[in-house]
Amino acid sequence: MSDKMHIKLTVNGEGREFLAEPRELLIYALREHLNITGPHVGCDTSHCGACTVTLNGKSVKSCTMFVGQANGADITTVEGLGTPDALHVLQESFREHHGLQCGFCTPGMITRAAKLLEENPTPTEEDVRFGMAGNICRCTGYQNIVKSILAAADEMNGSEQGQTVEAAE
Amino acid sequence: MIPAAFDYYRPTDMAGVLALLQQHGDDARVMAGGHSLIPMMKLRMAEVPHLIDLQDVAGLDQISLSAEEITLGAMVTQHTIINHPDLVQAAPILREAALQIADPQVRYMGTIGGNVANGDPGNDMPGLMQCLDAKLTLVGPEGERQVAARDYYEAAYMTDRADDEVLVAITMPVPQGGFAYEKQKRKIGDYATAAAAVQIGKADGKVATASVAMTNLSDVPVWSEAANAALVGTECAPEAVKAAVAAMLGDIDPSEDNRGPVAFKRHVAGVVLTRAINRAWSRA
């Protein structure tokens, strides 16, 4: 067995350190060492995207990254996007538009959607469907996920425009 | 899902990479984005006692562009290829193809070098690199050498790269004329049932230059000189396109799998090549 590595990560703004075997996948490091259990495991072939987190500004499938590769990285999971009292716009929007049922894909969906809207704040429906294509959902049929993301984009843009209008006044 | 144990290294220069490859021989593998290698390790189809992560090796993610030539460092990601404005302008076919590879998450991690070096006939970039006449730069213990993408692929997962060599860069002439990458697949993220990369140069209303390469229709990518010859000098009318398709069909050798039987793959190969030629010609 290979020696354990000393791993340092910043997860949701907090510095975390632990020892891990090199073969540990990032998803298991998050779930089992750090008890961050929002990101899920839905497959073993890197298709489903349930394990999606944001790592150094990229949407990544944390099942397809060894913990050593992530050493030193800045990671955001769904737990870092909002709190039960102050939901992220996307979290609120998924609730409002029924963008989830079992909830298993949702942490990956919302984390990926947050990055998508950061890169493209005014996506079309096609942009959303293509930009979310690395995330599989078994329950919703996607329609309400698309609705949720488009509504969140509107909300985010609306509030920015609102601020601009306010500032102009 | 659970890979076997390994020792992990993150060298910061090629000398460090080569030293590890020398030291551990067949037991060592380099890893770029990890999105072909890690899945294979998770299925225990690849066992890698010594894993060398290239992410900290300086210089491997560089892109350099001149009027004549494009050089992509092996660690340039598909995401970068899609979003690099100067590269997209110089070689729009790279973006068109990269957008048909995998999905957003995989494209943030997966690299051009890994795609080209992997040796899986399902990968899209190898055929495209043959279409564009790219040269691959390999570094090994004896130094650096270049090999043409058209000469690199020997069989499924077998390439001209020696075990102690690393693909570090890909250089290609700036493509001229019209282009298309046409891919038929079952769903997002799937490897092609059939795909065609086409680049066509036009002069005086006729095809001046043509380059056709096919993906996942043999155990290696197929650059079809016969298809190119069928197009050059013509006005790219339907008969010429038909002749090019017939010529291409003589060069491919698909095998049956979940994507369909051989007859279907040959049919789809003809469809995607027809579409690719027509789109490339319309852009030429």
Side-chain angles (χ1 to χ4, degrees):
Chain A
M1 169 142 342
S2 45
D3 289 341
K4 288 198 172 180
M5 301 173 66
H6 184 195
I7 303 292
K8 286 188 185 184
L9 302 174
T10 303
V11 185
N12 300 325
E14 197 183 330
R16 307 293 295 265
E17 296 188 32
F18 53 95
L19 293 175
E21 268 191 80
R23 67 167 167 168
E24 288 183 44
L25 296 162
L26 177 60
I27 181 67
Y28 292 123
L30 293 171
R31 290 179 56 84
E32 294 174 11
H33 286 283
L34 304 181
N35 204 29
I36 292 170
T37 57
H40 292 139
V41 177
C43 74
D44 64 359
T45 51
S46 312
H47 286 101
C48 79
C51 63
T52 299
V53 302
T54 309
L55 180 141
N56 295 339
K58 304 169 169 190
S59 291
V60 304
K61 294 180 176 177
S62 59
C63 76
T64 312
M65 179 175 278
F66 292 121
V67 67
Q69 281 177 281
N71 208 356
D74 189 346
I75 294 169
T76 303
T77 70
V78 72
E79 287 89 345
L81 291 176
T83 66
D85 298 328
L87 294 180
H88 185 276
V89 177
L90 276 161
Q91 291 169 320
E92 186 62 49
S93 190
F94 269 64
R95 183 170 74 177
E96 175 74 22
H97 296 279
H98 205 145
L100 69 150
Q101 291 177 38
C102 85
F104 197 83
C105 76
T106 314
M109 284 283 177
I110 288 184
T111 313
R112 170 60 198 144
K115 184 69 201 166
L116 170 65
L117 292 185
E118 192 187 311
E119 292 187 347
N120 180 3
T122 55
T124 62
E125 176 178 343
E126 193 184 346
D127 293 338
V128 170
R129 288 183 184 273
F130 192 69
M132 298 299 295
N135 294 75
I136 293 174
C137 174
R138 291 278 89 120
C139 301
T140 64
Y142 301 101
Q143 184 69 20
N144 285 350
I145 290 176
V146 175
K147 251 191 226 174
S148 304
I149 295 169
L150 288 171
D154 277 349
E155 172 87 21
M156 290 157 105
N157 295 329
S159 60
E160 275 167 29
Q161 279 161 15
Q163 282 164 11
T164 315
V165 171
E166 251 175 44
E169 283 168 3
Chain B
M1 189 68 191
I2 313 296
F6 57 83
D7 285 324
Y8 172 82
Y9 309 87
R10 234 207 238 194
T12 54
D13 56 26
M14 277 310 297
V17 175
L18 293 174
L20 285 162
L21 285 173
Q22 289 283 88
Q23 188 183 342
H24 298 293
D26 285 351
D27 284 345
R29 281 283 291 274
V30 299
M31 177 174 64
H35 277 57
S36 295
L37 183 58
I38 295 175
M40 296 300 272
M41 291 171 73
K42 287 160 66 173
L43 294 167
R44 305 269 176 134
M45 290 172 79
E47 200 175 331
V48 182
H50 298 275
L51 184 68
I52 307 167
D53 185 349
L54 297 179
Q55 70 170 302
D56 285 347
V57 176
L60 288 186
D61 61 352
Q62 299 297 304
I63 293 176
S64 76
L65 297 169
S66 73
E68 295 81 35
E69 213 169 65
I70 298 168
T71 298
L72 303 174
M75 290 290 280
V76 170
T77 64
Q78 309 288 357
H79 181 82
T80 299
I81 287 171
I82 291 164
N83 292 287
H84 191 290
D86 296 338
L87 182 62
V88 169
Q89 197 178 7
I93 194 171
L94 293 177
R95 179 176 197 272
E96 181 160 298
L99 280 168
Q100 297 178 64
I101 295 173
D103 61 49
Q105 288 95 319
V106 176
R107 291 193 293 263
Y108 279 107
M109 292 299 295
T111 65
I112 177 103
N115 194 301
V116 166
N118 189 28
D120 187 330
N123 287 117
D124 290 288
M125 286 294 178
L128 179 53
M129 293 301 111
Q130 293 193 338
C131 170
L132 298 179
D133 197 16
K135 302 285 186 288
L136 315 180
T137 303
L138 303 167
V139 173
E142 264 94 70
E144 197 173 291
R145 69 184 176 104
Q146 279 203 326
V147 52
R150 290 172 189 172
D151 299 328
Y152 183 70
Y153 298 94
E154 294 166 355
Y157 297 103
M158 291 183 65
T159 66
D160 187 53
R161 185 182 61 81
D163 284 346
D164 56 1
E165 288 183 312
V166 181
L167 172 64
V168 293
I170 299 162
T171 302
M172 65 200 83
V174 172
Q176 303 298 319
F179 66 91
Y181 193 77
E182 184 78 27
K183 176 175 176 180
Q184 202 282 336
K185 56 183 193 266
R186 297 171 299 180
K187 59 186 170 60
I188 285 279
D190 193 21
Y191 284 150
T193 304
V198 174
Q199 194 81 37
I200 294 179
K202 185 178 185 177
D204 305 325
K206 292 193 169 155
V207 176
T209 56
S211 185
V212 167
M214 307 300 291
T215 293
N216 216 13
L217 292 160
S218 168
D219 61 354
V220 290
V222 173
W223 183 62
S224 179
E225 287 190 78
N228 304 339
L231 290 171
V232 170
T234 72
E235 291 170 349
C236 222
E239 312 83 69
V241 177
K242 268 187 197 162
V245 166
M248 173 277 292
L249 289 172
D251 286 341
I252 62 171
D253 183 21
S255 49
E256 177 169 343
D257 60 17
N258 289 342
R259 294 183 182 90
V262 170
F264 176 68
K265 290 188 173 186
R266 294 179 65 81
H267 171 74
V268 178
V271 172
V272 295
L273 181 56
T274 301
R275 289 179 186 169
I277 292 170
N278 288 335
R279 196 158 78 241
W281 180 243
S282 75
R283 288 163 162 172

CSV table of all heavy atoms in Angstrom, one decimal, chain B residues 200-209 231-237 240 281-282 284:
chain,number,residue,atom,x,y,z
B,200,ILE,N,-11.5,22.0,-46.9
B,200,ILE,CA,-11.5,22.2,-48.3
B,200,ILE,C,-11.0,23.6,-48.7
B,200,ILE,O,-11.6,24.6,-48.2
B,200,ILE,CB,-12.9,21.9,-49.0
B,200,ILE,CG1,-13.3,20.5,-48.8
B,200,ILE,CG2,-12.9,22.3,-50.5
B,200,ILE,CD1,-14.7,20.2,-49.4
B,201,GLY,N,-10.0,23.6,-49.6
B,201,GLY,CA,-9.6,24.9,-50.1
B,201,GLY,C,-10.2,25.1,-51.5
B,201,GLY,O,-10.3,24.2,-52.3
B,202,LYS,N,-10.5,26.4,-51.8
B,202,LYS,CA,-11.3,26.6,-53.1
B,202,LYS,C,-10.4,27.6,-53.9
B,202,LYS,O,-9.9,28.6,-53.3
B,202,LYS,CB,-12.6,27.3,-52.7
B,202,LYS,CG,-13.6,27.5,-53.9
B,202,LYS,CD,-14.9,28.1,-53.2
B,202,LYS,CE,-16.0,28.3,-54.3
B,202,LYS,NZ,-17.2,28.7,-53.6
B,203,ALA,N,-10.3,27.4,-55.2
B,203,ALA,CA,-9.7,28.4,-56.1
B,203,ALA,C,-10.4,28.3,-57.4
B,203,ALA,O,-10.7,27.2,-57.9
B,203,ALA,CB,-8.2,28.1,-56.3
B,204,ASP,N,-10.8,29.5,-58.0
B,204,ASP,CA,-11.5,29.6,-59.3
B,204,ASP,C,-12.7,28.7,-59.3
B,204,ASP,O,-13.0,28.0,-60.3
B,204,ASP,CB,-10.5,29.2,-60.4
B,204,ASP,CG,-9.3,30.0,-60.4
B,204,ASP,OD1,-9.4,31.2,-60.0
B,204,ASP,OD2,-8.2,29.5,-60.7
B,205,GLY,N,-13.5,28.6,-58.2
B,205,GLY,CA,-14.7,27.9,-58.2
B,205,GLY,C,-14.5,26.4,-58.1
B,205,GLY,O,-15.5,25.6,-58.2
B,206,LYS,N,-13.3,25.9,-57.9
B,206,LYS,CA,-13.0,24.5,-57.9
B,206,LYS,C,-12.3,24.1,-56.6
B,206,LYS,O,-11.7,25.0,-55.9
B,206,LYS,CB,-12.2,24.0,-59.1
B,206,LYS,CG,-13.0,24.1,-60.4
B,206,LYS,CD,-12.2,23.4,-61.5
B,206,LYS,CE,-13.2,23.3,-62.7
B,206,LYS,NZ,-12.5,23.2,-63.9
B,207,VAL,N,-12.4,22.8,-56.2
B,207,VAL,CA,-11.7,22.4,-55.1
B,207,VAL,C,-10.2,22.3,-55.4
B,207,VAL,O,-9.7,21.6,-56.3
B,207,VAL,CB,-12.1,20.9,-54.7
B,207,VAL,CG1,-11.3,20.4,-53.5
B,207,VAL,CG2,-13.6,20.9,-54.3
B,208,ALA,N,-9.4,23.2,-54.6
B,208,ALA,CA,-8.0,23.2,-54.8
B,208,ALA,C,-7.3,22.2,-53.9
B,208,ALA,O,-6.3,21.6,-54.4
B,208,ALA,CB,-7.5,24.7,-54.6
B,209,THR,N,-7.8,22.1,-52.7
B,209,THR,CA,-7.2,21.2,-51.8
B,209,THR,C,-8.3,20.5,-51.0
B,209,THR,O,-9.3,21.2,-50.7
B,209,THR,CB,-6.2,21.9,-50.8
B,209,THR,OG1,-7.0,22.9,-50.1
B,209,THR,CG2,-5.0,22.5,-51.5
B,231,LEU,N,-12.1,14.7,-54.8
B,231,LEU,CA,-12.7,16.0,-54.7
B,231,LEU,C,-11.8,17.1,-55.5
B,231,LEU,O,-12.4,18.0,-56.1
B,231,LEU,CB,-12.8,16.4,-53.3
B,231,LEU,CG,-13.8,15.7,-52.4
B,231,LEU,CD1,-13.7,16.0,-51.0
B,231,LEU,CD2,-15.2,16.0,-52.9
B,232,VAL,N,-10.5,16.9,-55.4
B,232,VAL,CA,-9.6,18.0,-56.0
B,232,VAL,C,-9.9,18.1,-57.5
B,232,VAL,O,-10.0,17.2,-58.2
B,232,VAL,CB,-8.2,17.7,-55.7
B,232,VAL,CG1,-7.3,18.6,-56.5
B,232,VAL,CG2,-7.9,17.8,-54.2
B,233,GLY,N,-10.1,19.4,-57.9
B,233,GLY,CA,-10.3,19.7,-59.3
B,233,GLY,C,-11.7,19.7,-59.7
B,233,GLY,O,-12.0,20.2,-60.8
B,234,THR,N,-12.6,19.3,-58.8
B,234,THR,CA,-14.0,19.3,-59.2
B,234,THR,C,-14.7,20.5,-58.7
B,234,THR,O,-14.1,21.3,-57.9
B,234,THR,CB,-14.8,18.1,-58.5
B,234,THR,OG1,-14.9,18.3,-57.1
B,234,THR,CG2,-14.0,16.8,-58.7
B,235,GLU,N,-16.0,20.7,-59.0
B,235,GLU,CA,-16.7,21.8,-58.5
B,235,GLU,C,-17.6,21.4,-57.3
B,235,GLU,O,-18.5,22.1,-56.9
B,235,GLU,CB,-17.6,22.4,-59.6
B,235,GLU,CG,-16.8,23.1,-60.7
B,235,GLU,CD,-17.6,23.5,-61.9
B,235,GLU,OE1,-18.8,23.0,-62.0
B,235,GLU,OE2,-17.1,24.2,-62.7
B,236,CYS,N,-17.2,20.3,-56.7
B,236,CYS,CA,-17.8,19.8,-55.5
B,236,CYS,C,-19.3,19.5,-55.7
B,236,CYS,O,-20.1,19.7,-54.8
B,236,CYS,CB,-17.6,20.7,-54.3
B,236,CYS,SG,-17.2,19.7,-52.8
B,237,ALA,N,-19.7,19.2,-56.9
B,237,ALA,CA,-21.1,18.9,-57.2
B,237,ALA,C,-21.4,17.5,-56.6
B,237,ALA,O,-20.5,16.7,-56.2
B,237,ALA,CB,-21.3,18.8,-58.7
B,240,ALA,N,-19.3,14.5,-57.5
B,240,ALA,CA,-18.0,14.4,-56.9
B,240,ALA,C,-18.0,14.0,-55.5
B,240,ALA,O,-17.1,13.3,-55.0
B,240,ALA,CB,-17.3,15.8,-57.1
B,281,TRP,N,-17.6,22.9,-48.1
B,281,TRP,CA,-17.6,23.6,-49.4
B,281,TRP,C,-18.3,24.9,-49.3
B,281,TRP,O,-17.9,25.9,-49.8
B,281,TRP,CB,-18.2,22.7,-50.4
B,281,TRP,CG,-18.2,23.3,-51.8
B,281,TRP,CD1,-19.3,23.5,-52.5
B,281,TRP,CD2,-17.1,23.6,-52.6
B,281,TRP,NE1,-19.0,24.0,-53.7
B,281,TRP,CE2,-17.6,24.1,-53.8
B,281,TRP,CE3,-15.7,23.6,-52.5
B,281,TRP,CZ2,-16.8,24.6,-54.9
B,281,TRP,CZ3,-14.9,24.1,-53.5
B,281,TRP,CH2,-15.5,24.6,-54.7
B,282,SER,N,-19.4,24.9,-48.5
B,282,SER,CA,-20.3,26.1,-48.4
B,282,SER,C,-19.5,27.2,-47.6
B,282,SER,O,-19.8,28.4,-47.7
B,282,SER,CB,-21.6,25.8,-47.7
B,282,SER,OG,-21.4,25.6,-46.3
B,284,ALA,N,-16.1,27.4,-47.9
B,284,ALA,CA,-14.8,27.6,-48.5
B,284,ALA,C,-14.7,28.9,-49.2
B,284,ALA,O,-15.7,29.5,-49.6
B,284,ALA,CB,-14.5,26.4,-49.4
